[in-house]
Amino acid sequence: MAGHAGTDAVILVGGQGTRLRPLTLSAPKPMLPTAGLPFLTHLLARIAEAGITHVVLGTSFKAEVFEEHFGDGSDLGIELEYVFEPEPLGTGGGIRNVLPKLRADTVMVFNGDVLGGTDLGAILDTHESTKADVTLHLVRVSDPRAFGCVPTDEEGRVTAFLEKTQDPPTDQINAGCYVFRREYIEKIPSGRPVSVEREVFPALLAEGARVQGHVDMSYWRDMGTPEDFVRGSADLVRGIAPSPALPGQRGESLIHPGAGVAPGALLIGGTVIGRGAEIGAGARLDGAVIFDGAVVEAGATVERSIVGFGARIGPRALVRDGVIGDGAHVGARCELLRGARVWPGVVIPDGGIRFSTDV
Ligand code: GTP
C-alpha cells in the first residue's frame, strides 16, 4: 500500500444524472449497480488501494442513499464523511463546500462517475515533484471533441482550458480528477454555484497559478450516458477495466447469486445478471446490464441495454441500445431500438412497438 495517508480525497456525487434517466429517477448515478456493485464502490476501492484513508463525499441529489449504503466507510478500510448541499453548488461549489471537513494540505478531487485505471499515486507524485498549485489528470482519447480539452507546454504545465470544440488542438482531455493545494480550495467562492471547469480552472490560469497536467493513456470512461454505462459495465465484467473491488476471474458474463438462467440462454459481451433476475430459454443477451429482480423471457434479445430493477422483457422481444426503467414491462415481440427509454412502470402491450412489418 502506498503512503498517501496524508492526502484527503473528495468525491463529487451530487449531480442529478439527467442523461441516465429514467434509471437516475430512483437512484443517484454513482449508486447504480455496475458489475453488481454500486458504481462508487469501484472508485472508493481504488482510493483505498492508493493508501488514502480520509474521503469526503459532496452530496446533494438523493444524498441519504450514500450514507445508508456506505456508512462510516469502515467496510472499505477508509473513514468516510458526507457534506450535503441543499441546493446543488456545481462542481466547483461542491469542492469549496467540503472545506470544513478537510484535514490535509493535499486534496485529491474526483468526479463520482468516472471509471478509471490510472495510478493515483503517480498523479500525487507529479503534483509534489512539480510543486504545483493544482494538478489535473488528463487522458489521451481518440476523439477529444466531446470533452474539455487541455493543452500543456513542454514542462507539462496547463496552457488553456477549452470547452468542447469541433477542432481540438490536442487529444488530452480533462479526466475529472484533480489535486488541489488546500489554499486553492479556500479561494473558490463560497455560497453560490461554481463550475470547476468553466470558472475555477480558467481563473487559475488567468492569475498565473501553477497548474500542472498529468497525462496518461490509462483506462478511462465517464459513465454519464447509457452507452458509456453499458460499455463500462461490460469492460469491468471482461476485465478490460480494472477494479480492486472485483477480485478474481472475469469472463463474458457475470451472474449474481439467486439469479436463474435457463438452459440455452446465451450470455456474452460482458453481460451482468443481477440478484434474483430470471433469464428464459433461448434468450440472447449481449452486453446487457440486467438489474436485480428483472426478467428476460424466452427467446428475447437484449443488446447493449440496461434493464432496470424488476423490469420485464417479454418473449421474443428485442431491446437494442435502450434503457428500460424499473418495473416497466416490454410486451412479447416488441422491438425497441437505439435510444429508446421506457419510463418506470410503463407497460407496452405484446407487439405494441415494432420497427418491422412482420407479425
Ligand atoms: P448529467 O445531468 O447527466 O449531466 O449528470 P451529472 O448531474 O452527474 O453531471 P456531470 O456528469 O457533469 O457531473 C460530474 C460529477 O460531478 C458527477 O459525479 C456529479 O455527481 C457531480 N456533480 C455535478 N453537479 C454537482 C453539484 O452541484 N454538487 C455536487 N456535490 N456534485 C455535483
Side-chain angles (χ1 to χ4, degrees):
M1 184 161 293
H4 293 290
T7 300
D8 286 330
V10 172
I11 312 179
L12 297 170
V13 294
Q16 299 217 356
T18 51
R19 290 166 296 161
L20 274 174
R21 284 181 187 160
L23 301 171
T24 44
L25 297 175
S26 58
K29 175 168 57 174
M31 293 303 284
L32 289 176
T34 321
L37 297 168
F39 176 75
L40 197 57
T41 315
H42 301 291
L43 178 55
L44 289 170
R46 289 184 55 234
I47 290 171
E49 191 186 54
I52 298 175
T53 51
H54 180 226
V55 184
V56 186
L57 296 192
T59 65
S60 184
F61 179 66
K62 295 195 183 294
E64 66 290 350
V65 183
F66 296 96
E67 192 159 3
E68 276 163 24
H69 184 86
F70 292 109
D72 64 4
S74 48
D75 287 355
L76 289 160
I78 54 176
E79 182 189 350
L80 202 48
E81 294 193 277
Y82 305 84
V83 180
F84 173 58
E85 293 156 46
E87 293 297 325
L89 290 169
T91 46
I95 300 169
R96 175 64 179 76
N97 197 49
V98 306
L99 184 65
K101 295 280 187 197
L102 299 179
R103 301 168 188 164
D105 189 46
T106 304
V107 184
M108 196 163 205
V109 178
F110 298 84
N111 277 354
D113 56 357
V114 170
L115 181 61
T118 192
D119 179 349
L120 302 181
I123 301 175
L124 288 166
D125 290 345
T126 297
H127 181 72
E128 264 169 46
S129 65
T130 60
K131 299 191 168 39
D133 298 320
V134 176
T135 300
L136 310 186
H137 177 216
L138 309 177
V139 278
R140 292 212 155 94
V141 295
S142 51
D143 183 1
R145 284 174 304 180
F147 304 97
C149 175
V150 186
T152 45
D153 67 13
E154 58 284 350
E155 288 174 9
R157 282 181 73 149
V158 172
T159 54
F161 204 88
L162 308 168
E163 288 287 314
K164 290 167 194 161
T165 156
Q166 278 309 302
D167 193 17
T170 162
D171 60 358
Q172 298 172 182
I173 62 149
N174 171 18
C177 168
Y178 326 113
V179 188
F180 278 80
R181 275 174 49 197
R182 182 199 170 99
E183 64 191 86
Y184 282 80
I185 293 180
E186 287 164 7
K187 289 183 186 193
I188 299 173
S190 65
R192 67 164 172 90
V194 180
S195 159
V196 77
E197 301 90 349
R198 287 192 297 277
E199 191 173 341
V200 175
F201 293 142
L204 285 172
L205 294 181
E207 73 177 52
R210 171 139 204 154
V211 183
Q212 186 71 26
H214 176 92
V215 187
D216 65 23
M217 291 187 69
S218 52
Y219 182 90
W220 184 85
R221 186 171 296 283
D222 174 336
M223 301 283 270
T225 65
E227 208 178 350
D228 281 311
F229 189 86
V230 160
R231 286 188 56 182
S233 171
D235 286 349
L236 279 168
V237 171
R238 300 208 285 186
I240 296 167
S243 170
L246 279 184
Q249 220 172 346
R250 319 273 191 97
E252 277 298 289
S253 66
L254 182 58
I255 302 169
H256 285 96
V261 178
L266 179 66
L267 311 182
I268 57 173
T271 286
V272 187
I273 310 295
R275 291 162 190 79
E278 294 289 336
I279 311 300
R284 182 178 188 283
L285 280 69
D286 186 351
V289 181
I290 310 297
F291 284 3
D292 294 357
V295 176
V296 178
E297 296 196 55
T301 300
V302 181
E303 292 176 8
R304 298 182 302 269
S305 298
I306 308 161
V307 180
F309 295 104
R312 176 177 287 267
I313 310 299
R316 290 188 288 129
L318 166 65
V319 181
R320 179 180 293 146
D321 300 307
V323 180
I324 311 301
D326 300 341
H329 186 164
V330 176
R333 302 182 315 285
C334 282
E335 295 172 328
L336 296 178
L337 304 183
R338 181 164 191 81
R341 296 182 192 226
V342 178
W343 245 242
V346 167
V347 176
I348 304 176
D350 292 350
I353 297 185
R354 305 276 295 165
F355 279 71
S356 66
T357 51
D358 314 338
V359 283

